[in-house]
């Protein structure tokens, strides 16, 4: 907007698009002066001013020098076909634009009206949002599931995601779905394809049969299962290897786990499934019962659910003594496995509990500050001190004394219960809101990281000791994930950050326009799930030089995935003065002009007024209610005028006292319009009452954000500064939230997840929400008057249609020119009479106010806008995605139902957007074919060379063997993780039977640490320990009933040591056999020398046992060991 033309006479700031267009004098009253109209759909309508005389010298008013420099702004015909070097394009580009340009009206764009541009735009809070083919402020992302419109996701919002080695699974409100990583670059099904609305551009996926909402899910790689927890309290299993026949896949085992929803899940190192629910309930579903149920035949499968359902262990009841529970009663929102130490972390919002995964014992309870909550000691308190005190004071123990002692016990229990209630209240926001835990994760070095609602990130060791904290962002942490030596953090603001294991910030960017609620790592990407249901993938190497190369390559292919659309928008404003309109008036104002428009936005003022109504409206706003019967009448009546239900659909509305705004969308355009949000800002009586103020609607149209704001500012001639202040207040403080559910067709059930941690009024850089829109339209009764002119003079100028002279006296134009209000916004040149003030039901010039006050006519009712243009002349592109022009701006002077005349403005809007499906295919082609990128990605498969000290271990009599893992690389760290993949029993002849698949350690085996980091050239030592476990309690309905005797036959398991680099997706594996021999069988083993010799060479004997250290220098005697 630096290129402005300022006329010496009137100071109008005008825009020009091309010099070879003639200077057209098009305006709303052009038919009266013999000028061809811009666009006329109501040629039969007769204006009230037709009764007034028209001077024969009217042409000289339009030939005035003030209009000599009025040029049509941006126009499609001039933009594409204009001559000169600036307008020339290669033939292939013209063909492309013709093939990808969509005009909703089916007509060519006609000439546009000249516009006036306000000063002060393009800077500060009025700076335009950054738009580009590839966002310059973040790495290029893989759009696995592009942002779906909210209205298409009713009952199907995604809530959680998790990755297996080959798939990405997502749980949503009506089931599950998964993507194969082999299909992540594939094209979507498109509009009208087999996918539901909102998934037209999503990569191909497979969906389950309908279920109740999924809340959490966990990957069970050993059993090739996905476990999900649901809102109905059930746990369900799903096979990873689903038949891909196109039909919805079905669940396997399922059982009722909790009375309320299953809030969290985790699979322990020993195969137990832990689930967390409301009220601090934690249940364990033993691996033995799960394995047994999985082994049942099809005929016996009906018993499987009952078998598992009755086998649970209720940890909360086990740690409750004398009515006092040792753990918090708040909801168990998070469960985390520390596989390095075989521990389980359970967390509410303000406290943690640490459990032994093998013995299921409670180890520690502590709060978010790291302070130990000694509730375990309190629960086991034997009142010995109380007894001593009683004995000192009283000689005998009478019934009265016993009752007093009993009273003390009851009092203590009551106090403990009250304290627990306080903790539950605190978890719900009464206290400690800023310390609330929102996420936690385990890193490869064995540290636990938690994220808080104030953006604080806290590091803990494996024993629950708080080490240090970091603050890299001010908004709430929502989720974590780890990839090698990196920690990824997702925030409620939509930002993600990358940290190293020391907590140092490596990079960050805005990943989504709303909260990032879940993250998962797979196939070399970190996938982020946004609150709106979109999923993006980011390279695990980001930020890195690869980002710049990929950004450049993708930008060079813009023409392949850019799409251009066109939408015609009708906007109207009317101060109805507490009256009601006739059908003819609405037809004249809206119906006649809406024949070929795609969107209709209507703003009304003074729908209903009066002190009692305003007070009631303010009271309703405080409890989240809005609307009135009169407002509903207007919505219904306008809807009938627009043929709502057949031709148009109302997508949103908002009422604040007498202010009402509503938007209708043509049914053919409806699939491309959504995410409707509403806002209201009162400006009257101390910014508290809605007699003055603004209401707004925000929506996405072809993936671009548009806002419509209906305003009513301070009245009276002298209140210019108050009106300016009203606009500034509205612009800065307008915050959009979910629109009325009935209006937008969204059920309230889907609001639970999206209501948590709402984004504030401003974006991260402090800019108002209106600043982030691609197009903003302000309409309403702004109440700016004509100054320095008398009533009679104004009427004389109006009677002669000398509107250019009247514009000299317009307060709004003067304030806009000075950059004091509506900074950077545009308005079509006014060619219609002032719209205020009239006597009701009086036509013609005689309708102007003839009372004693004789209010000076004024253009109170206006429509202004701002699009994406940075300069006066800009083409529609992905860098400037919304370019608009005004093709009609006029008042309906024949409408006499109010003291104001209704005003309408028709915009012709070009919209550039991305075909995400095509872009994703181009993304994949670049990743697979670009040699530079391929060479950089080879680092993802560079795994440090490691060796293990043995491939075979024999344990007996609680032996401990030391497994040494050596990192032979001298420059790269090695990340290792030990898992169990199979188990078998040893036959009489010493041979192991066939190994059965297993994804967890047997209870007789302890491997510590089971994960860790090995520095270059160093050794990690792992303890492989046999633990006596001769019997196992069997629980029925949470109560221990039986004991299983441990099988005394020798057993053998296969351990796999998986080794990765600090930032790699590939891995190398070492297989290790561990045999457990009972003492009674040791002689038999020794006698079988041939079998024994198979192990003797690599077994570390008891003489080699020693205490562990985390790592040590490479031993000389291991120097020549080779990798298996």
């Amino acid at each position: 907007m630096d290129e402005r033309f300022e006329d010496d006479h009137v100071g109008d700031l005008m825009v020009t698009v091309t010099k070879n267009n003639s200077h057209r004098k098009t305006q709303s009253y052009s038919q009266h002066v013999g000028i061809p109209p811009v666009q006329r759909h109501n040629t039969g309508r007769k204006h009230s001013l037709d009764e007034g005389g028209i001077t024969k010298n009217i042409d000289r008013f339009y030939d005035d020098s003030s209009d000599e420099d009025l040029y049509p702004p941006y126009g499609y015909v001039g933009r594409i076909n204009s001559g000169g070097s600036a307008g020339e394009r290669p033939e292939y580009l013209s063909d492309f634009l013709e093939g990808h340009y969509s005009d909703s009206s089916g007509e060519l764009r006609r000439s546009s009206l000249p516009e006036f541009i306000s000063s002060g735009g393009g800077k500060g809070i009025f700076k335009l949002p950054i738009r580009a083919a590839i966002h310059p402020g973040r790495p290029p992302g893989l759009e696995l599931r592009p942002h779906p419109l909210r209205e298409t996701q009713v009952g199907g919002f995604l809530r959680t995601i998790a990755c297996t080695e080959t798939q990405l699974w997502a749980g949503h409100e009506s089931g599950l779905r998964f993507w194969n990583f082999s299909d992540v670059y594939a094209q979507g099904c498109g509009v009208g394809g087999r996918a539901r609305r909102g998934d037209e551009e999503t990569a191909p996926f497979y969906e389950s049969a309908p279920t109740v909402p999924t809340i959490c899910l966990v990957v069970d790689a050993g059993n090739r299962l996905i476990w999900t927890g649901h809102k109905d309290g059930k746990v369900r299993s799903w096979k990873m290897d689903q038949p891909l026949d196109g039909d919805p896949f079905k669940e396997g085992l399922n059982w009722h786990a909790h009375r309320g929803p299953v809030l969290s899940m985790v699979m322990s190192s020993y195969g137990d499934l832990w689930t967390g629910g409301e009220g601090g309930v934690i249940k364990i579903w033993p691996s033995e019962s799960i394995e047994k149920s999985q082994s049942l035949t099809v005929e016996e499968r009906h018993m499987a659910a009952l078998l598992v359902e009755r086998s649970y262990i209720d940890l909360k009841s086990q740690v409750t003594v004398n009515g006092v529970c040792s753990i918090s009663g708040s909801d168990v929102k998070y469960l985390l496995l520390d596989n390095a130490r075989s521990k389980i972390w359970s967390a509410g919002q303000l406290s943690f509990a640490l459990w032994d995964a093998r013995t299921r014992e409670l180890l520690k309870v502590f709060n978010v500050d790291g302070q130990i909550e000694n509730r375990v000691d309190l629960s086991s308190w034997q009142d010995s001190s109380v007894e001593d005190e009683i004995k000192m004071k009283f000689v005998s123990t009478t019934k009265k004394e016993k009752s007093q002692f009993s009273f003390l016990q009851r009092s203590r229990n009551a106090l403990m219960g009250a304290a627990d209630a306080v903790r539950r209240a605190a978890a719900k926001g009464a206290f400690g809101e800023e310390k609330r835990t929102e996420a936690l994760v385990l890193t490869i070095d064995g540290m636990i990281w938690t994220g808080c609602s104030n953006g604080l990130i806290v590091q803990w060791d494996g024993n629950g000791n708080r080490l240090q904290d970091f603050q890299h962002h001010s908004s709430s942490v929502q989720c974590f994930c780890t990839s090698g030596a990196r920690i990824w953090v997702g925030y409620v603001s939509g930002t993600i950050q990358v940290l190293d294991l020391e907590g140092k910030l490596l990079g960050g960017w805005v990943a989504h326009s709303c909260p990032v609620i879940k993250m998962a790592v797979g196939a070399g990407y970190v996938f982020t799930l946004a609150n709106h249901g979109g999923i993006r993938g980011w390279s695990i190497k980001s930020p890195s030089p690869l980002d710049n190369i990929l950004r450049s390559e993708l930008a060079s292919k813009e023409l392949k995935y850019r799409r251009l659309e066109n939408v015609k928008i009708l906007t109207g404003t009317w101060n109805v003065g507490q009256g009601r309109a006739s059908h003819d008036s609405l037809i004249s104002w809206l119906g006649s002009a809406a024949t070929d428009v795609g969107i209709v936005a209507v703003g009304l003022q003074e729908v209903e007024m009066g002190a009692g109504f305003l007070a009631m409206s303010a009271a309703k706003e405080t409890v989240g209610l809005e609307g009135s019967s009169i407002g509903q009448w207007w919505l219904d009546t306008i809807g009938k005028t627009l043929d709502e239900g057949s031709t148009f659909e109302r997508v949103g509305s908002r009422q604040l006292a007498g202010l009402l705004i509503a938007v209708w969308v043509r049914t053919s355009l409806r699939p491309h319009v959504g995410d409707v949000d509403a806002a209201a800002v009162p400006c009257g009586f101390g910014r508290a009452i809605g007699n003055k103020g603004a209401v707004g609607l925000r929506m996405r149209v072809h993936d671009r954000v548009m806002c419509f704001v209906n305003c009513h500012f301070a009245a009276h001639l002298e209140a210019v500064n108050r009106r300016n202040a009203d606009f500034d207040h509205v612009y800065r403080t307008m915050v959009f939230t979910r629109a009325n559910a009935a209006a937008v067709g969204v059920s309230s059930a889907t609001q639970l997840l999206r209501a948590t941690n709402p984004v504030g009024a401003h974006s991260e850089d402090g800019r108002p929400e209106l600043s982030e829109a691609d197009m903003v339209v302000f309409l309403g009764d702004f109440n700016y008057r004509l100054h320095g002119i008398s009533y009679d003079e104004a009427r004389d100028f109006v009677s002669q249609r000398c509107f250019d002279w009247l514009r000299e006296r317009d307060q709004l134009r003067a304030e806009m020119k000075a950059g004091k209000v509506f900074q950077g916004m545009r308005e079509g040149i006014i060619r219609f009479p002032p719209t205020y003030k009239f006597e009701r039901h009086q036509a013609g010039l005689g309708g102007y106010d003839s009372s004693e006050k004789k209010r000076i006519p004024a253009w109170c009712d206006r429509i202004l806008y701002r699009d994406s243009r940075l300069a006066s002349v800009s083409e529609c592109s992905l860098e400037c995605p919304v370019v608009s022009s005004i093709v009609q701006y006029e008042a309906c002077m024949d409408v006499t139902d109010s003291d104001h005349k209704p005003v309408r403005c028709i915009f012709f809007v070009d919209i550039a957007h991305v075909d995400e499906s095509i872009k994703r295919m181009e993304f994949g082609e670049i990743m697979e074919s670009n040699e530079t990128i391929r060479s950089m990605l080879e680092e993802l498969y560079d795994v440090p060379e490691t060796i293990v000290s043995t491939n075979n271990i024999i344990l007996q009599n609680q032996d401990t063997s030391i497994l040494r893992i050596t990192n032979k690389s001298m420059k790269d760290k090695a990340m290792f993780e030990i898992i169990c993949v199979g188990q078998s029993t040893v036959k009489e002849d010493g041979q192991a039977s066939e190994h059965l698949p297993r994804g967890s350690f047997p209870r007789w085996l302890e491997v510590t640490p089971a994960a860790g980091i090995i520095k270059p050239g160093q050794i990690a030592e792992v303890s492989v320990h046999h633990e006596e476990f001769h019997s196992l309690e069997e629980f029925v309905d949470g109560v221990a009933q039986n004991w299983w005797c441990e099988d005394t036959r020798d057993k053998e398991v296969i351990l796999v040591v998986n080794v990765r680099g600090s930032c790699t997706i590939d891995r190398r594996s070492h297989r290790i056999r561990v045999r457990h021999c009972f003492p009674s069988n040791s002689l038999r083993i020794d006698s079988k020398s041939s079998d024994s010799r198979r192990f003797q060479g690599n077994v570390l004997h008891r003489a080699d046992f020693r205490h562990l250290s985390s790592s040590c220098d490479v031993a000389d005697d291991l120097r020549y060991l080779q990798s298996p």
Side-chain angles (χ1 to χ4, degrees):
M1 287 181 288
D2 295 330
E3 299 179 14
R4 292 190 178 91
F5 182 89
E6 183 173 343
D7 191 281
D8 294 334
H9 300 286
V10 297
D12 289 346
L13 303 177
M14 308 309 302
V15 212
T16 152
V17 108
T18 175
K19 294 183 178 180
N20 52 343
N21 281 341
S22 61
H23 296 190
R24 296 182 176 90
K25 305 296 188 300
T26 50
Q27 69 264 348
S28 60
Y29 272 72
S30 55
Q31 72 270 27
H32 297 304
V33 294
I35 300 176
V38 174
Q39 192 156 358
R40 179 65 57 192
H41 305 291
N42 54 341
T43 53
R45 181 169 58 84
K46 187 175 181 65
H47 291 279
S48 60
L49 282 184
D50 290 348
E51 299 176 9
I54 302 178
T55 174
K56 295 181 179 180
N57 297 324
I58 188 69
D59 286 341
R60 73 180 181 88
F61 294 112
Y62 293 109
D63 291 334
D64 186 86
S65 60
S66 64
D67 281 342
E68 281 300 311
D69 299 294
L70 305 186
Y71 300 108
Y74 170 83
Y76 177 74
V77 176
R79 174 170 61 95
I80 300 298
N81 300 325
S82 59
S85 58
E88 292 179 356
R89 278 196 175 89
E91 183 177 353
Y92 78 92
L93 183 54
S94 299
D95 294 340
F96 169 81
L97 290 174
E98 291 175 4
H100 293 79
Y101 189 90
S102 172
D103 187 342
S104 61
S105 66
E107 300 178 0
L108 291 176
R109 177 189 295 274
R110 301 190 181 182
S111 301
S112 305
L113 296 179
E115 300 172 351
F116 170 83
I117 306 178
S118 175
S119 300
K123 56 186 177 182
I125 63 172
F126 303 104
K127 185 178 180 180
L128 298 181
I130 298 175
R131 298 289 186 262
I134 309 298
H135 197 291
R138 64 185 180 215
L142 172 63
E143 294 282 353
L144 183 72
R145 190 189 194 220
H147 178 167
L149 296 177
R150 183 193 306 129
E151 292 77 5
T152 67
Q153 301 302 296
V154 177
F157 279 96
L158 299 190
R159 288 184 165 181
T160 184
I161 57 174
C163 287
T164 69
E165 290 188 353
T166 60
Q167 297 170 330
L168 171 68
W169 285 72
H172 56 83
E173 292 176 328
S174 58
L176 272 83
R177 62 172 59 179
F178 70 86
W179 287 263
N180 288 321
F181 288 144
S182 58
D183 297 331
V184 294
Y185 302 131
Q187 187 174 1
C189 64
V191 177
R194 66 175 179 84
R196 70 171 70 183
R197 279 194 60 202
D199 285 310
E200 293 87 355
E201 295 183 349
T202 301
F205 63 92
Y206 301 89
E207 195 149 26
S208 73
T211 70
V212 296
T214 306
I215 296 178
C216 53
L217 61 85
V218 63
V219 176
D220 183 359
N223 293 315
R224 303 288 297 168
L225 293 174
I226 301 293
W227 297 96
T228 56
H230 296 262
K231 189 176 180 179
D232 62 356
K234 281 192 173 183
V235 171
R236 292 173 168 86
S237 69
W238 312 80
K239 292 182 179 180
M240 293 184 189
D241 307 312
Q242 292 287 344
L244 306 180
D245 54 5
D247 295 328
F249 58 88
K250 298 181 179 180
E251 64 195 63
L253 179 65
N254 76 86
W255 69 90
H256 202 279
H258 291 262
R259 293 181 179 178
V262 181
L263 301 178
S264 54
M265 301 177 67
V266 72
M267 184 68 68
S268 79
S269 305
Y270 295 93
D272 299 331
L273 183 64
W274 294 49
T275 60
E278 296 176 335
V281 175
I282 302 174
K283 292 185 178 181
I284 299 177
W285 311 91
S287 59
E288 292 79 9
S289 60
I290 294 176
E291 290 175 4
K292 186 175 180 179
S293 66
Q294 295 287 343
S295 65
L296 295 177
T297 63
V298 177
E299 292 76 13
E300 301 171 322
R301 190 57 61 90
H302 66 281
M303 296 294 296
L306 182 61
L307 172 66
V308 178
E309 187 172 322
R310 301 195 64 186
S311 68
Y312 72 90
I313 303 171
D314 188 343
L315 292 184
K316 184 177 181 181
S317 64
Q318 289 198 353
V319 297
T320 301
V321 180
N322 294 329
V324 179
C325 184
S326 302
I327 60 175
S328 170
S330 61
D331 297 347
V332 183
K333 297 184 63 178
Y334 314 101
L335 287 170
L336 176 71
L337 169 65
D338 180 356
N339 60 334
R341 305 173 184 86
S342 294
K343 295 179 180 179
I344 300 288
W345 287 57
S346 64
Q349 292 185 327
L350 294 174
S351 65
F352 303 93
L354 191 57
W355 308 81
D356 187 306
R358 178 178 167 274
T359 64
R360 304 156 181 167
E361 295 177 352
L362 178 62
L363 304 176
K364 185 179 181 181
V365 180
F366 51 101
N367 61 23
V368 292
D369 294 321
Q371 299 172 347
I372 295 177
E373 295 187 351
N374 200 19
R375 309 183 70 185
V376 179
D377 295 336
L378 285 172
S379 65
S380 60
W381 183 37
Q382 299 299 318
D383 298 319
S384 59
S385 60
V386 176
E387 291 179 8
D388 293 339
E389 184 179 355
I390 292 176
K391 288 178 181 179
M392 289 176 62
K393 291 184 178 180
F394 305 99
V395 178
S396 61
T397 57
T398 63
K399 292 184 178 180
K400 179 179 179 181
E401 292 166 350
K402 290 181 179 179
S403 65
Q404 289 175 345
F405 175 71
S406 229
F407 170 76
L408 291 173
Q409 276 189 318
R410 290 194 302 270
S411 299
R412 185 205 64 192
N413 293 345
L415 289 172
M416 292 301 300
D420 197 56
V422 171
R423 286 186 177 89
R424 287 196 300 269
K428 294 181 180 179
F431 306 102
E433 190 72 19
E434 73 284 351
K435 299 179 181 180
R436 191 176 66 241
T437 300
E438 298 291 349
L440 69 163
V441 72
L442 169 75
T443 50
I444 191 65
D445 59 351
M447 297 293 112
I448 310 294
W449 297 74
T450 61
C452 304
S453 55
N454 61 354
L456 195 68
I457 299 173
V458 184
Q459 184 189 41
W460 309 75
D461 67 14
N463 296 318
N465 299 312
R466 181 167 174 158
L467 302 180
Q468 55 184 333
D469 52 64
F470 306 89
Q471 184 88 50
H472 297 302
H473 199 279
S474 59
S475 66
S476 174
V477 176
Q478 291 292 285
C479 54
F480 284 115
C481 75
T482 62
S483 173
R486 291 185 168 192
I487 307 169
W488 292 65
V489 190
Y491 293 92
V492 73
S493 64
T495 296
I496 59 176
Q497 290 181 339
V498 185
L499 315 179
D500 63 16
L501 296 179
E502 303 299 323
K504 179 182 177 182
L505 181 63
L506 302 179
W509 56 90
V510 178
H512 298 277
S513 60
C514 63
V516 181
I517 60 175
K518 200 69 177 178
M519 309 171 90
V521 181
Y525 292 98
V526 173
F527 293 98
T528 56
L529 170 62
N531 208 18
H532 52 55
I535 301 176
R536 282 180 176 150
W538 314 91
S539 170
I540 62 173
K541 294 177 66 67
S542 295
S544 71
L546 181 147
D547 300 331
N548 294 329
I549 299 174
L550 185 55
R551 181 183 294 110
S552 176
E553 289 292 316
L554 271 176
S556 67
K557 297 177 178 289
E558 174 183 342
L559 293 182
K560 292 186 177 181
Y561 53 78
R562 183 182 69 181
R563 298 293 180 265
L564 296 178
E565 313 289 345
N566 177 266
V567 178
K568 190 179 290 186
I569 302 176
L570 167 63
T571 58
T573 176
W574 190 9
N575 186 323
V576 298
Q578 305 182 67
R580 300 196 183 193
S582 66
H583 176 71
D584 291 341
S585 295
L586 292 179
I587 290 293
S588 175
W589 176 36
L590 299 173
S592 59
T595 54
D596 61 350
V597 301
I599 298 174
V600 179
V602 177
L604 304 177
Q605 306 86 44
E606 296 188 14
V607 169
E608 195 170 356
M609 300 293 282
F613 171 76
L614 294 177
M616 180 61 68
S617 174
K620 290 170 64 176
E621 288 284 337
T622 61
V623 294
L625 300 176
E626 53 107 356
S628 68
S629 59
I630 302 299
Q632 189 61 48
W633 180 89
W634 277 101
L635 294 176
D636 295 341
T637 305
I638 295 176
K640 291 178 181 178
T641 303
L642 297 175
D643 192 21
E644 180 180 338
S646 176
T647 305
F648 283 92
E649 178 182 341
R650 178 161 56 93
V651 296
S653 64
R654 182 67 164 95
Q655 183 174 354
L656 173 68
L659 284 163
L660 176 64
I661 190 170
V663 172
W664 286 262
V665 173
R666 190 172 291 274
T667 53
S668 60
L669 182 62
R670 185 66 180 90
H672 306 286
V673 179
D675 286 1
V676 181
D677 297 316
V681 179
C683 292
F685 298 103
R687 309 290 191 207
I689 305 298
N691 62 314
K692 296 293 187 290
V695 287
L697 290 176
R698 178 179 64 186
M699 62 196 67
R700 297 174 68 87
V701 181
H702 287 299
D703 205 36
R704 299 302 176 186
V705 180
M706 294 186 181
C707 296
F708 301 93
V709 184
N710 174 29
C711 304
H712 194 187
F713 294 155
H716 305 302
L717 177 68
E718 67 280 1
V720 177
N721 291 335
R722 285 180 55 193
R723 286 189 278 274
N724 294 350
D726 284 348
F727 165 78
D728 188 73
H729 179 65
V730 168
Y731 193 87
R732 290 177 182 273
T733 63
M734 180 162 277
V735 179
F736 291 91
T737 56
R738 291 288 299 277
N740 182 281
V744 301
V746 178
S747 66
S748 59
T750 63
Q751 299 179 20
L752 175 63
L753 183 64
R754 278 144 293 282
T756 58
N757 296 315
V759 182
H762 300 85
S763 58
E764 285 192 78
D765 56 0
R767 287 158 49 81
E769 290 190 5
L770 287 173
S771 299
E772 300 299 323
D774 296 293
M775 182 176 181
V776 181
V777 178
F778 274 86
L779 50 92
D781 179 3
F782 301 157
N783 256 323
Y784 287 89
R785 310 300 174 88
L786 299 180
H787 66 91
I789 190 172
S790 68
Y791 174 81
D792 292 331
E793 290 174 332
R795 289 207 53 174
D796 288 341
F797 282 122
V798 171
S799 65
Q800 299 181 56
R801 276 70 171 178
C802 297
F803 304 134
D804 51 343
W805 290 355
L806 287 178
R807 288 198 305 267
E808 290 289 316
R809 306 301 181 187
D810 180 27
Q811 289 179 340
L812 179 56
R813 174 159 295 196
E815 296 300 302
M816 291 174 65
K817 182 178 179 181
K820 295 181 179 181
V821 71
F822 292 107
Q823 289 86 339
M825 295 199 175
R826 302 163 181 259
E827 183 184 25
I829 297 301
I830 297 176
R831 298 299 191 189
F832 51 84
T835 56
Y836 174 84
K837 178 186 189 208
F838 289 85
E839 299 291 340
R840 295 177 187 268
H841 309 298
Q842 291 189 21
L845 291 176
Y848 278 110
D849 184 17
S850 59
S851 65
E852 293 182 1
K853 293 184 178 180
K854 288 191 175 181
R855 294 177 179 87
I856 300 172
W859 287 297
C860 292
D861 309 284
R862 312 284 277 271
I863 300 176
L864 291 76
Y865 81 101
R866 185 267 294 168
D867 55 15
S868 300
R869 281 175 286 180
L870 287 170
S872 297
V873 182
S874 297
E875 294 180 350
C876 186
S877 65
L878 295 180
E879 289 73 24
C880 181
V882 177
V883 177
S884 179
S885 60
I886 298 175
V887 296
Q888 187 180 105
Y889 188 31
E890 63 184 11
C892 299
M893 304 302 295
D894 56 346
V895 175
T896 62
D897 300 296
S898 171
D899 56 350
H900 289 251
K901 299 298 183 183
V903 175
R904 69 184 176 209
C905 181
I906 297 180
F907 298 95
F908 219 84
V909 185
D910 287 337
I911 302 174
H913 67 102
V914 172
D915 186 329
E916 296 292 354
S917 182
I918 300 300
K919 182 181 176 182
R920 185 172 58 247
M921 294 178 60
E922 297 299 325
F923 188 104
E925 182 179 341
I926 294 171
M927 295 291 288
E928 295 172 355
S929 63
N930 186 282
E931 293 299 328
T932 304
I933 292 178
R934 286 174 60 88
S935 63
M936 297 179 71
L937 291 178
E938 287 179 0
E939 299 177 7
L940 297 178
Y941 300 91
D942 186 13
V943 180
E945 184 180 359
T946 56
I947 56 175
V948 293
S949 57
T950 182
N951 301 117
N952 299 286
I953 297 175
I954 293 181
L955 299 175
Q956 60 181 357
N957 298 329
Q958 294 184 294
D959 282 346
T960 300
S961 179
I962 306 301
L963 174 67
R964 298 183 178 92
I965 308 172
T966 304
N967 182 5
K968 297 186 68 175
S969 172
M970 302 308 294
K971 64 175 183 177
D972 297 324
K973 295 179 180 179
M975 316 287 178
F976 74 91
E977 181 181 13
I978 302 176
I979 61 174
C980 179
V981 297
Q983 178 177 329
S984 66
T985 56
V986 179
K987 302 176 183 178
E988 290 293 331
D989 58 0
Q991 298 291 333
S993 60
E994 183 180 355
H995 289 84
L996 298 177
R998 185 182 179 94
S1000 56
F1001 296 121
R1003 298 192 189 278
W1004 54 264
L1005 183 65
E1006 287 186 343
V1007 179
T1008 309
I1013 299 177
I1014 314 174
K1015 295 180 180 180
Q1018 294 197 358
I1019 298 175
E1021 295 182 335
V1022 178
S1023 167
V1024 182
H1025 174 70
H1026 165 241
E1027 180 66 30
E1028 287 191 24
F1029 206 78
H1030 294 305
S1031 62
L1032 176 66
E1033 290 180 301
E1034 179 184 11
F1035 285 78
V1036 178
D1037 296 333
V1039 180
Q1041 299 287 343
N1042 303 309
W1043 286 261
W1044 291 344
C1045 292
E1046 185 178 9
D1047 188 355
T1048 57
R1049 292 180 296 177
D1050 294 347
K1051 301 180 184 65
E1052 183 177 280
V1053 296
I1054 303 296
L1055 301 183
V1056 172
V1057 181
N1058 290 321
V1059 181
R1060 302 177 188 269
S1062 59
C1063 190
T1064 62
I1065 60 174
D1066 201 6
R1067 69 184 182 193
R1068 293 183 181 177
S1069 300
H1070 305 275
R1071 295 175 65 88
I1072 300 170
R1073 293 175 180 267
V1074 179
R1075 178 171 293 190
H1076 167 221
C1077 299
F1078 279 87
S1080 59
N1081 300 332
S1082 60
L1083 294 176
R1084 185 178 71 247
I1085 293 177
D1086 292 339
S1087 66
K1088 300 180 183 294
S1089 58
S1090 60
D1091 294 328
S1092 179
R1093 291 193 191 99
R1094 293 189 300 115
F1095 297 94
Q1096 293 297 324
N1098 289 323
V1099 170
L1100 294 178
H1101 298 283
R1102 296 178 64 86
D1104 296 324
F1105 298 166
R1106 62 186 178 87
H1107 294 292
L1108 299 182
S1109 59
S1110 59
S1111 60
C1112 61
D1113 294 332
V1114 180
D1116 293 337
D1117 58 339
L1118 297 175
R1119 184 174 300 166
Y1120 301 106
L1121 287 176
Q1122 301 297 321
S1123 300

